Amino acid sequence: MNKDLENIVRTQFDYTINQTNYDIGNKYQGKVRDVYDLGDKLVILTTDRISAFDQVLGTVPFKGEILNNMSLFWFEKTSDIIKNHIISKVSENGVLVRKCKILPVEIIVRGYLTGGGWREYSKTGAISGVKLSAGMKKDTKFDRPILTPTTKEQSGHDMPISIEEIVNRGIIGKEMMEQIADVAVRLFERGQEIVAQQGLILVDTKYEFGIAEDGSLMLADEIHTSDSSRFWYADTYQEKFDAGEEQRMLDKEYLRQYLLSLGYSGDADKPAIPFEIICGIVERYAQAYRKITGREYSLKNYDAVDALNKAIETLKI
């Protein structure tokens, strides 16, 4: 293990952001993010909580700030395609955003036949109502990215839903759904173009859209992070595909694979995550930032909790 990294991570444990409790508006707590409703705006704080199998398993130093800055990179790189909810960066862990009415479906865009899409195709020959050719191999590249939306369930797992069903059920109107489909593919293709320069493939991702006050479409939540997206290394894609082997990934499978090795998949007592695994997670998040954005991420010890407290105190809302 890298001793310098180990020392930085060990020291930063005293400053991880686990829970926040600010008197600035109604608070909603997700698995990773704390959201404060300020009326026409929101403060979104990306904590250091880490989750797998829909369970929060503890905190990982630096994780929240890396994810926050990764999303900010992508919001900037895609702002010419669609406006997003970002008003300003509040701190390394937080942003001030425009409030919008979040649409009740997640828009998943897939460039390759893999993951949950592969499992659904293997059973039905389709993904979210999109009929695919018979006999396709796992990890096949699609001629053009496909949209495979899911519902956003209050409890349990999100369920696949077709674009046709979204429109027929009146969840989203036909014209708006057509706009979403066009924008989502353009966002995805922009992401693919940028990460290709870093030797990566953007395999699939999810987007959340909302309706702004003026009725226009707005991109919200996060975009093209290693938590919300699947990335493969481009240089070994064809070799792995031809051999029928698992692709080299750049995402949070490292933690999931460790948990599975313990026999944990979310339905038993939560295991403690050893320090060496946490160091590995930090290393991979920093590596993901570097590989995805082409920029270095400097891991330095500082009082992240105090920095966030001061940022909230001086926040102009």
Side-chain angles (χ1 to χ4, degrees):
M1 186 185 298
N2 183 314
K3 288 296 180 185
D4 289 339
L5 176 65
E6 180 180 344
N7 291 335
I8 289 171
V9 173
R10 194 180 301 278
T11 301
Q12 197 65 21
F13 258 116
D14 290 337
Y15 307 119
T16 54
I17 299 172
N18 183 8
Q19 303 290 335
T20 69
N21 188 27
Y22 297 114
D23 187 20
I24 57 173
N26 293 328
K27 175 187 170 185
Y28 164 76
Q29 181 170 309
K31 288 193 289 290
V32 172
R33 290 174 178 80
D34 290 353
V35 180
Y36 290 86
D37 190 335
L38 311 182
D40 62 339
K41 304 180 187 72
L42 303 172
V43 170
I44 301 179
L45 304 178
T46 307
T47 72
D48 293 318
R49 297 192 295 266
I50 192 162
S51 68
F53 303 113
D54 291 326
Q55 299 294 322
V56 175
L57 301 172
T59 58
V60 171
F62 302 108
K63 173 184 175 285
E65 64 178 75
I66 293 174
L67 283 177
N68 188 52
N69 283 292
M70 199 182 300
S71 266
L72 285 169
F73 168 86
W74 283 111
F75 281 127
E76 178 187 343
K77 293 293 185 183
T78 58
S79 61
D80 61 315
I81 296 175
I82 182 176
K83 67 180 179 182
N84 59 62
H85 67 168
I86 299 295
I87 296 173
S88 62
K89 180 177 176 179
V90 171
S91 73
E92 295 305 316
N93 288 76
V95 287
L96 180 67
V97 306
R98 300 172 186 85
K99 192 174 180 181
C100 59
K101 182 181 179 183
I102 297 293
L103 295 172
V105 291
E106 278 191 351
I107 304 300
I108 297 172
V109 184
R110 301 179 186 274
Y112 294 76
L113 181 58
T114 196
W118 164 251
R119 290 189 290 273
E120 187 181 348
Y121 167 78
S122 299
K123 294 176 183 176
T124 68
I127 312 175
S128 293
V130 179
K131 188 71 176 174
L132 300 175
S133 301
M136 294 179 70
K137 287 175 59 178
K138 181 176 177 291
D139 298 344
T140 294
K141 184 180 188 295
F142 298 128
D143 293 334
R144 191 169 188 268
I146 64 171
L147 269 66
T148 61
T150 64
T151 62
K152 293 171 67 174
E153 302 297 328
Q154 294 298 316
S155 61
H157 295 290
D158 297 341
M159 299 300 294
I161 185 171
S162 69
I163 290 176
E164 184 180 20
E165 190 176 1
I166 290 171
V167 172
N168 289 343
R169 287 170 54 181
I171 298 172
I172 299 174
K174 186 175 184 293
E175 286 188 12
M176 180 63 74
M177 195 63 230
E178 288 174 351
Q179 184 184 357
I180 289 170
D182 174 66
V183 167
V185 170
R186 288 165 62 199
L187 289 170
F188 187 75
E189 290 177 338
R190 174 70 57 82
Q192 286 188 314
E193 290 169 9
I194 290 174
V195 301
Q197 298 169 25
Q198 309 302 323
L200 294 178
I201 296 171
L202 175 58
V203 179
D204 49 44
T205 193
K206 68 178 181 70
Y207 301 116
E208 290 207 31
F209 293 98
I211 305 299
E213 260 188 15
D214 62 2
S216 61
L217 190 66
M218 181 180 287
L219 181 64
D221 195 46
E222 61 182 325
I223 172 175
H224 298 168
T225 70
S226 50
D227 270 19
S228 67
S229 312
R230 192 190 316 263
F231 297 91
W232 291 337
Y233 287 91
D235 60 349
T236 53
Y237 165 71
Q238 195 62 48
E239 173 191 339
K240 297 286 187 182
F241 177 74
D242 292 342
E245 297 175 353
E246 291 297 319
Q247 296 289 333
R248 288 172 60 216
M249 297 184 183
L250 182 72
D251 55 18
K252 64 176 185 177
E253 284 300 306
Y254 174 73
L255 174 60
R256 290 169 62 88
Q257 291 302 319
Y258 168 75
L259 294 170
L260 288 170
S261 75
L262 302 179
Y264 179 80
S265 57
D267 51 2
D269 291 339
K270 298 177 186 179
I273 305 176
F275 179 71
E276 60 268 23
I277 298 296
I278 289 174
C279 284
I281 295 169
V282 174
E283 185 175 30
R284 282 162 175 79
Y285 270 101
Q287 180 189 37
Y289 183 90
R290 182 176 66 252
K291 289 293 294 180
I292 291 168
T293 69
R295 303 172 180 176
E296 289 293 328
Y297 199 93
S298 179
L299 299 175
K300 296 179 180 179
N301 292 128
Y302 74 107
D303 191 333
V305 175
D306 183 62
L308 181 57
N309 290 342
K310 289 177 178 176
I312 295 298
E313 285 174 9
T314 58
L315 179 63
K316 291 180 172 58
I317 54 177

